[in-house]
Amino acid sequence: MESKSPARPRTVGRGPKVRAAVHAATLAELLDKGYAGLTVEAVAQRAGVHKTTVYRRWQDREALVVDALSEHFAADIPTPDTGSIESDLRLLTQGLVDSMTGPIGQAVQVAMYSDAGRLPEIAAARRRVFADRFRRAEPVVSRAIERGELPHGTDPTQVFTTLAAPIHFRLLVTGEPVDEATADQAIRVTLAAARAGALAVVHGAEPAEPQRNPLE
Amino acid sequence: MESKSPARPRTVGRGPKVRAAVHAATLAELLDKGYAGLTVEAVAQRAGVHKTTVYRRWQDREALVVDALSEHFAADIPTPDTGSIESDLRLLTQGLVDSMTGPIGQAVQVAMYSDAGRLPEIAAARRRVFADRFRRAEPVVSRAIERGELPHGTDPTQVFTTLAAPIHFRLLVTGEPVDEATADQAIRVTLAAARAGALAVVHGAEPAEPQRNPLE
C-alpha cells in the first residue's frame, strides 16, 4: 500500500508488535493481491519479519487471514437511544460507515466478501456480526413505533437492510467511496420508505431462513 | 454442482460442445472452490476433456475464467416502456433477478465480485454492464416524471441504485435467496422513496466520480 517493502526484513520486535505488524501486512496483501494471491512469504517480507517467525505463530495462511480479519471485523456499535429515529439511524449508520472507512476498514470489508470469505471461520464471523447488527436495530425501531415516528408493523430487519444495502452496494459493487453523503442518503431513503409503510412486515412472505451462502 | 465428475475423462465432442462443457465446468468449479482454488486440471476433469484440450483453446486459467464469466454476465435487458413506472421498474428488476437465478446465474454473479473480479477483463465487463444498466434506467425515470408519476428532479442513478442495492445485498452479503419477493420489496421501497422526493438529485453532493474499486 505505501512504499515497497524492503528486500531484507527489518526487525519489528517481539510479541504484540510482531502480531500487529503481521496483521497489517496481511490486510495490505489481501487488498493488493486478494486471497488467491496472498503468500506467507510476501506477508513476512512486508511486515519485516522472517517467514519462520510467521509460521511459529500462525499455522498457515488461512490461520493468518482468519486471525487478521476477525480482529478487525468485530463490531462494537452500541444500540443508540437518542429519543429520535433519525438520530438513532444516524448513529447506527455511522458505526457501519466507520467500519468501512480508511484503507484498513475497506480492506477488511472487501476481504470478508472475497474468496477469503469462503473460509468457514470468516463466514461464521460474518454471520455473528450481522446477527448482532440486526439485533441492535430492533429496539431502535420498536421505540420509534411507540413514539409514533414509524407506522405499526415496521420490520426492524427491513429497516436495517434498507439502511445497509446501498452502503454495501457502493463498497462491493460500484466501488464508489462510502462517506457521510452515502450515510445521509441511506437514512433519507430508509425513513421515507418506512414512513410510507413500505418496510412493514410482509405477510405471506417466506421466512428469512438462513440459506447456504454461495460465498461459503 | 451435480454428481461427481468421473475419474476418467468422457468424450464430449468437438468445437462448441467442448466450449460449452468447459464453460459449465469452470463456473461449477468457481462456485465450489472459488477463484483461489480453481485449477485447469479440475475444470478439465469435470468437463470430461483432457487438460491439453483446454490449454489448446485457453492460454491459462485466467483466460478460461474471463471467457466463461463474460459470456454469461452479458446483460440483455431491454429498456421497458409500459406506460407506468411500476411495471417498468418490475421489468427492469426482473431482468436483474433473472440474471442471478439458478446455480449458473448465482455462480456467475458471485464470481464477478470474488477474487476473480480482480482480473482487469472481469472488472471491465462489470463496469460495462453497470454503465449499460444505469443508461437503461434513464428514459424509464424521465418518462415517469413527464407522466407526473415521480417528482421533478428524481435521479435515475438513485432510482436504479435503490432498486439494485437490496438485491445485491441478499446475493453478496446475507446469502438469502433472490426471488420475486425480493424484487417486489425492492420496487416498493424504491417507489415510496422516489415519491417522497428522497431520490432527488442531491445538490452539493460530490459528483459520482468513478473511483478505484478496492476489488480491482
Side-chain angles (χ1 to χ4, degrees):
Chain A
M1 286 153 92
E2 283 121 41
S3 58
K4 280 257 170 189
S5 36
R8 188 162 5 145
R10 288 170 283 116
T11 306
V12 295
R14 327 197 100 247
K17 265 194 183 169
V18 170
R19 199 177 139 82
V22 171
H23 274 180
T26 304
L27 296 177
E29 286 290 308
L30 270 178
L31 184 59
D32 273 8
K33 296 178 196 147
Y35 183 60
L38 183 135
T39 64
V40 171
E41 210 139 14
V43 168
Q45 193 179 52
R46 197 188 269 255
V49 300
H50 284 284
K51 208 169 79 167
T52 48
T53 308
V54 177
Y55 278 119
R56 248 200 315 275
R57 288 174 170 80
W58 295 275
Q59 202 186 343
D60 50 25
R61 69 172 191 151
E62 288 198 12
L64 190 57
V65 167
V66 165
D67 197 37
L69 283 178
S70 303
E71 181 165 309
H72 286 86
F73 194 64
D76 191 24
I77 312 175
T79 301
D81 187 10
T82 62
S84 134
I85 181 66
E86 186 158 354
S87 43
D88 277 3
L89 290 187
R90 187 162 306 280
L91 287 176
L92 271 182
T93 313
Q94 198 53 53
L96 200 59
V97 169
D98 283 350
S99 74
M100 298 173 172
T101 308
I104 288 183
Q106 211 179 27
V108 171
Q109 291 287 336
V110 168
M112 293 299 288
Y113 301 102
S114 72
D115 276 14
R118 302 173 71 94
L119 300 173
E121 295 92 335
I122 296 295
R126 207 167 53 201
R127 271 195 300 273
R128 272 198 312 276
V129 165
F130 269 92
D132 188 57
R133 286 176 182 168
F134 281 110
R135 199 178 49 71
R136 285 171 199 274
E138 265 172 37
V140 166
V141 170
S142 59
R143 283 192 293 248
I145 294 173
E146 279 167 32
R147 286 190 301 260
E149 289 182 299
L150 294 181
H152 279 278
T154 302
D155 183 0
T157 299
Q158 293 275 8
V159 169
F160 186 78
T161 300
T162 308
L163 204 58
I167 294 169
H168 284 83
F169 188 75
R170 286 175 81 96
L171 181 80
L172 299 172
V173 179
T174 66
E176 290 168 290
V178 170
D179 52 18
E180 215 178 305
T182 314
D184 286 349
Q185 179 57 13
I187 293 166
R188 196 176 303 133
V189 168
T190 303
L191 279 177
R195 284 171 182 153
L199 302 183
V201 179
V202 182
H203 291 291
E206 301 161 51
E209 208 166 291
Q211 295 245 341
R212 179 176 170 264
N213 187 325
L215 290 168
E216 286 166 25
Chain B
M1 284 150 98
E2 282 120 39
S3 58
K4 277 257 171 192
S5 37
R8 187 162 7 144
R10 290 168 282 115
T11 307
V12 293
R14 330 195 99 246
K17 265 193 182 169
V18 170
R19 198 178 139 83
V22 172
H23 274 182
T26 305
L27 296 177
E29 286 290 308
L30 270 178
L31 184 58
D32 273 8
K33 297 177 196 146
Y35 183 60
L38 185 135
T39 65
V40 171
E41 209 139 14
V43 167
Q45 193 177 55
R46 198 189 268 256
V49 301
H50 284 283
K51 209 169 78 170
T52 49
T53 308
V54 177
Y55 278 119
R56 249 200 313 276
R57 288 173 171 80
W58 295 274
Q59 201 186 345
D60 50 25
R61 70 171 192 152
E62 287 198 12
L64 191 58
V65 167
V66 166
D67 197 37
L69 284 178
S70 303
E71 179 164 309
H72 287 85
F73 194 64
D76 189 24
I77 312 172
T79 304
D81 187 11
T82 63
S84 132
I85 182 68
E86 186 158 354
S87 43
D88 277 2
L89 290 187
R90 187 163 306 280
L91 288 176
L92 272 182
T93 314
Q94 199 53 53
L96 198 60
V97 168
D98 283 351
S99 74
M100 297 174 173
T101 307
I104 288 182
Q106 211 179 28
V108 171
Q109 291 287 336
V110 168
M112 293 300 287
Y113 302 102
S114 71
D115 277 12
R118 302 173 71 94
L119 300 173
E121 295 91 335
I122 297 296
R126 206 167 53 201
R127 270 194 303 271
R128 272 199 309 277
V129 165
F130 269 92
D132 189 56
R133 285 175 182 168
F134 280 110
R135 199 178 50 72
R136 285 170 199 275
E138 265 172 35
V140 165
V141 171
S142 58
R143 285 191 291 250
I145 294 173
E146 277 165 33
R147 286 190 301 261
E149 290 182 299
L150 293 182
H152 279 277
T154 302
D155 181 1
T157 299
Q158 292 275 7
V159 169
F160 186 78
T161 300
T162 309
L163 205 57
I167 295 169
H168 283 83
F169 188 74
R170 285 175 83 97
L171 181 81
L172 300 172
V173 179
T174 66
E176 290 169 290
V178 170
D179 53 18
E180 216 179 304
T182 314
D184 286 349
Q185 180 57 14
I187 293 166
R188 196 176 303 131
V189 168
T190 303
L191 279 177
R195 284 170 182 153
L199 302 184
V201 178
V202 182
H203 292 290
E206 302 162 53
E209 210 166 288
Q211 295 245 341
R212 178 175 171 264
N213 188 327
L215 290 167
E216 286 165 25

